[in-house]
Amino acid sequence: MSGLQAVVRRKLLRSFYYAFDLAVILAALVLAGLFYVHEYGGIVLGRYPEKLVLRESSVITASDGTVLRKIPLPESGYRVTAELEEMPDLLIDTFLAVEDRSFYLHHGLDYKGIARAILNNTAHFQVSEGGSTITQQLARNLFLNRDKNMLRKLNEASLALALEKRLSKHDILQLYLNQIYMGDSQHGVKAAAEHYFGISDLKKLDIMQIAALAAIPKGPSIYNPLGDSELPVKRRELVLGIMRQQGLITGEEMMAAVHEEYKPPAAVNNKTIGASYIDAALQEATRLTGKSREELQTGGYTIVTGMNRAAQSALEESFRNPDLFPPNGKDQQVEAAMVMIDHRTGEIVALTGGRNPVTGGLNRAVIDARQPGSAFKPIIVYGPVLESGFYTPESMLQDRQAAYGSYKPENLNGTYQGQMSMKQALQQSVNAPAVWLLQQVGISKAQKFAAKLGIELTQEDYNLSIALGGVHTGVSPLKMAQAYSVFASGGFFREAHMVRQIKDSKGRVLYSHHSNERQAISPLTAERMTGMLRSVVNEGTGKKACMNRPVAGKTGTTQLDLPGISSKANRDLWFVGYTPEWTAAVWMGFDRTDQNNYMTAGSGKAAALFSAVMSKALEGYK
């Protein structure tokens, strides 16, 4: 009997030791877990403080304040942040009633809710999202993925506790209401209010609209108001019931809201314009502010541009008309670019870098890559000699075939008159007088004059071929329009710009354009040049640029000059000109000009495009 008792006693002792060891292990695991929960959240918050600063969609507007583009965030959504004080109390109280009624009582975790969640999880043999407080939801959305496992729940709890230590309840709630996903690519209650109801001032939301917003977080894809099922309506009615139950609204207000029909905001014309313009404006804004493009796009900035929407629309509409362009090549489309400047202010009113511009695409309007041909003559030859005071439009110039060392320029038609007036030489775009005149005035003086118009030439351009537009690296339509704008404005240089103002997310002005205009050339030179350029349009090579208002301008053509290809084959077609209101430069050509892709049309095609765009764009001007 004593042997049996000894066996039983040993088994009991062994069981006790096993239980003790298990208890010690469990205690150690609990302590390790508590230590992990206590430490993990603080470490993560310390390592990624930028997560607490929400990215906000920046906005780019036209000159009249119309939104041209609301820039999506990297996660492909939109956010407009709002201070908690901008939100009505009913909105805040409703979200608290629906999402976390004990928000102001707990320190990040709702232990009663957690207990209920554990019971439910145990009963259903799964890990659910039950028991999450607003702080936990914020922690999950800012720092974690949506995996449903125990480690993620521990991390979430740890982060929630750390957030409560780091931030006030006010700041946590404000972050939550600005961060929460609200369906249809909208983040935060303000972005959702604008998107679903067309309301920017949150305090103008009515009871039904507040209930609709509070209904969304439970299932953003199925409960947002734009859903075509009954689910959004039923969820909204459930929220209204909670609002009534919590004493936030009366029974009468609840019934009125239940019967209020949701009406989406008036359809907005989502047709976007100005892809090239906006890209260039963002590039300009980065230069002006020193901020990266990503910072400008996600910092909630408002970038006000000088774009005239009517002008930009007229420009893009004309560029979609194939009849206004030369025939395409064998494997390429003829491309084009155009820039329009209000020379009275320097603002770029319209710009496109191609016939089918896309965001981030090649912007031919701002790249110095094309030879300007005879359109360069007023900048490098006739402007400098008029400024010298030794020549007038009536001065007689030499028109003879001549050699300047190895350089032997020729007139296109092969004929020479011996001499002709400066006005006639420009009007008919005759080459020999232009080269002779540049030699007379001197290349150095000519280059200094061009610099006053915004075109800096290099040492490689120190030769007489620049008289005919032989610029080493080429020029952009933007620089050509800038240069001619000085003639158009009576000799004043006003820097061409797109950005008028930049404001931060709080409405504070970060940058505002201030004109530093200067008298670059004499008013007399500008007046005489305008007179000669008007004769080019009225009687010379630029006749196709004629409009129902005075036009001054100059054509430009560069030849292909490839062996075995017709001498009529052209590489670049230009027209640069101005009306009393605006200056514009047009370029046409192929991205890669070769034996299969070249133009036989002349620069009259560019002049005609100038006329088509400017006529339509200026319809509203008397």
Side-chain angles (χ1 to χ4, degrees):
M1 190 69 179
S2 60
L4 180 60
Q5 289 175 338
V7 171
V8 172
R9 187 167 177 265
R10 284 197 300 272
K11 287 183 177 180
L12 288 172
L13 284 173
R14 191 178 299 121
S15 298
F16 174 76
Y17 292 144
Y18 286 155
F20 179 79
D21 291 343
L22 182 60
V24 170
I25 292 171
L26 287 174
L29 288 174
V30 169
L31 288 172
L34 290 173
F35 178 79
Y36 179 85
V37 169
H38 184 268
E39 295 296 322
Y40 173 81
I43 293 172
V44 172
L45 260 63
R47 188 173 294 174
Y48 303 105
E50 71 278 3
K51 295 279 190 178
L52 299 179
V53 180
L54 298 179
R55 291 181 169 186
E56 183 176 356
S57 300
S58 292
V59 171
I60 300 177
T61 77
S63 59
D64 62 0
T66 302
V67 174
L68 296 171
R69 182 187 298 170
K70 188 166 64 170
I71 301 173
L73 300 173
E75 59 265 30
S76 299
Y78 300 91
R79 176 182 291 113
V80 183
T81 62
E83 301 288 333
L84 208 59
E85 291 73 19
E86 297 176 53
M87 305 178 194
D89 291 340
L90 184 59
L91 174 69
I92 297 169
D93 292 341
T94 300
F95 268 86
L96 290 175
V98 173
E99 298 294 329
D100 188 357
R101 295 179 193 174
S102 59
F103 175 71
Y104 286 105
L105 300 177
H106 62 66
H107 297 289
L109 303 178
D110 179 2
Y111 295 103
K112 290 182 180 179
I114 291 174
R116 284 195 305 272
I118 291 174
L119 290 173
N120 290 333
N121 294 341
T122 303
H124 296 92
F125 300 101
Q126 64 179 7
V127 178
S128 74
E129 294 296 329
S132 290
T133 64
I134 276 178
T135 315
Q136 286 176 270
Q137 292 180 53
L138 179 64
R140 178 173 64 244
N141 294 337
L142 288 179
F143 296 98
L144 304 172
N145 57 38
R146 302 196 67 85
D147 292 342
K148 295 182 180 182
N149 56 58
M150 190 55 66
L151 179 60
R152 205 271 288 152
K153 293 296 290 183
L154 282 175
N155 291 342
E156 179 185 298
S158 179
L159 285 163
L161 292 172
L163 284 171
E164 291 276 350
K165 291 178 182 178
R166 179 76 62 89
L167 304 175
S168 67
K169 287 289 188 180
H170 173 283
D171 291 343
I172 290 172
L173 187 55
Q174 181 170 289
L175 266 174
Y176 170 78
L177 290 171
N178 282 307
Q179 190 281 331
I180 190 168
Y181 181 59
M182 299 292 284
D184 211 28
S185 299
Q186 306 304 309
H187 294 263
V189 294
K190 185 166 185 178
E194 290 182 355
H195 182 68
Y196 296 123
F197 304 111
I199 294 176
S200 298
D201 183 351
L202 293 174
K203 293 193 175 180
K204 292 183 178 179
L205 290 167
D206 65 24
I207 292 173
M208 183 278 287
Q209 293 165 339
I210 287 173
L213 291 175
I216 296 173
K218 184 75 172 177
S221 63
I222 60 174
Y223 292 138
N224 77 72
L226 296 178
D228 56 5
S229 71
E230 286 296 310
L231 291 176
V233 176
K234 291 180 179 178
R235 177 67 182 169
R236 185 166 72 238
E237 290 176 356
L238 176 63
V239 172
L240 286 167
I242 294 173
M243 294 168 73
R244 172 68 183 93
Q245 183 185 22
Q246 296 297 309
L248 301 178
I249 58 175
T250 66
E252 292 77 9
E253 288 172 327
M254 182 188 76
M255 294 309 298
V258 166
H259 291 103
E260 182 180 342
E261 184 181 352
Y262 168 68
K263 295 180 180 179
V268 178
N269 183 3
N270 290 321
K271 180 183 176 183
T272 57
I273 61 171
S276 300
Y277 190 110
I278 292 170
D279 278 348
L282 281 169
Q283 186 176 358
E284 183 179 306
T286 61
R287 175 176 58 82
L288 293 171
T289 62
K291 297 182 181 296
S292 69
R293 188 182 180 107
E294 183 180 359
E295 283 181 287
L296 283 173
Q297 292 185 149
T298 61
Y301 296 98
T302 298
I303 301 173
V304 182
T305 73
M307 179 194 288
N308 180 299
R309 287 190 304 130
Q312 185 69 36
S313 296
L315 171 56
E316 296 187 12
E317 182 180 335
S318 297
F319 268 50
R320 288 192 292 268
N321 182 358
D323 295 337
L324 294 172
F325 295 88
N328 293 328
K330 288 187 178 180
D331 52 34
Q332 291 182 60
Q333 175 182 254
V334 172
E335 273 299 345
M338 185 171 181
V339 178
M340 298 163 64
I341 300 173
D342 185 337
H343 46 253
R344 299 162 298 184
T345 63
E347 286 190 334
I348 297 173
V349 297
L351 175 152
T352 188
R355 291 176 66 181
N356 306 105
V358 295
T359 299
L362 180 63
N363 195 342
R364 302 165 185 84
V366 299
I367 298 173
D368 294 332
R370 295 293 175 168
Q371 303 295 310
S374 293
F376 207 56
K377 290 175 181 175
I379 298 168
I380 202 68
V381 179
Y382 298 113
V385 299
L386 287 174
E387 187 78 347
S388 73
F390 296 115
Y391 293 84
T392 70
E394 288 71 37
S395 296
M396 301 305 292
L397 312 179
Q398 178 178 300
D399 178 28
R400 298 187 181 91
Q401 193 168 19
Y404 303 89
S406 60
Y407 181 53
K408 299 177 181 179
E410 297 180 354
N411 290 344
L412 291 178
N413 58 11
T415 61
Y416 301 85
Q417 298 182 28
Q419 65 175 7
M420 62 174 56
S421 72
M422 184 193 300
K423 179 180 179 180
Q424 185 183 2
L426 180 62
Q427 183 185 101
Q428 302 303 322
S429 199
V430 185
N431 289 338
V435 179
W436 176 82
L437 196 54
L438 178 58
Q439 186 190 48
Q440 302 304 305
V441 73
I443 296 175
S444 179
K445 288 183 179 179
Q447 288 190 342
K448 289 177 180 177
F449 183 89
K452 291 180 180 179
L453 307 188
I455 296 181
E456 298 283 350
L457 297 170
T458 64
Q459 189 62 39
E460 289 87 350
D461 296 311
Y462 203 86
N463 55 70
L464 291 175
S465 67
I466 60 171
L468 308 183
V471 182
H472 180 67
T473 58
V475 294
S476 65
L478 174 57
K479 285 187 177 177
M480 291 296 288
Q482 171 78 90
Y484 272 62
S485 74
V486 178
F487 300 137
S489 63
F492 280 97
F493 179 93
R494 298 181 178 97
E495 185 178 6
H497 63 280
M498 284 158 279
V499 178
R500 180 184 291 181
Q501 189 179 71
I502 302 173
K503 294 183 287 187
D504 67 14
S505 59
K506 307 301 180 186
R508 295 172 297 213
V509 176
L510 184 67
Y511 166 82
S512 187
H513 178 79
H514 297 288
S515 178
N516 293 317
E517 65 178 41
R518 54 181 170 81
Q519 188 79 48
I521 62 176
S522 72
L524 181 59
T525 296
E527 180 184 344
R528 286 174 168 174
M529 180 61 73
T530 295
M532 291 200 300
L533 291 174
R534 282 183 177 170
S535 75
V536 171
V537 174
N538 294 334
E539 307 169 54
T541 59
K543 287 181 180 179
K544 290 185 178 179
C546 282
M547 294 168 53
N548 60 351
R549 57 194 355 102
V551 179
K554 181 70 183 76
T555 54
T557 306
T558 62
Q559 293 177 294
L560 179 60
D561 197 23
L562 283 178
I565 304 298
S566 168
S567 60
K568 294 182 179 180
N570 294 320
R571 184 184 299 269
D572 302 288
L573 304 179
W574 288 83
F575 183 83
V576 189
Y578 49 92
T579 67
E581 301 86 4
W582 295 338
T583 300
V586 177
W587 165 84
M588 291 179 174
F590 289 97
D591 286 336
R592 297 182 310 279
T593 308
D594 53 34
Q595 65 273 16
N596 294 319
N597 300 280
Y598 58 84
M599 300 172 293
T600 55
S603 53
K605 205 70 177 175
L609 181 58
F610 170 94
S611 177
V613 174
M614 294 286 275
S615 295
K616 188 168 185 61
L618 288 166
E619 282 179 355
Y621 283 81
K622 295 181 180 180

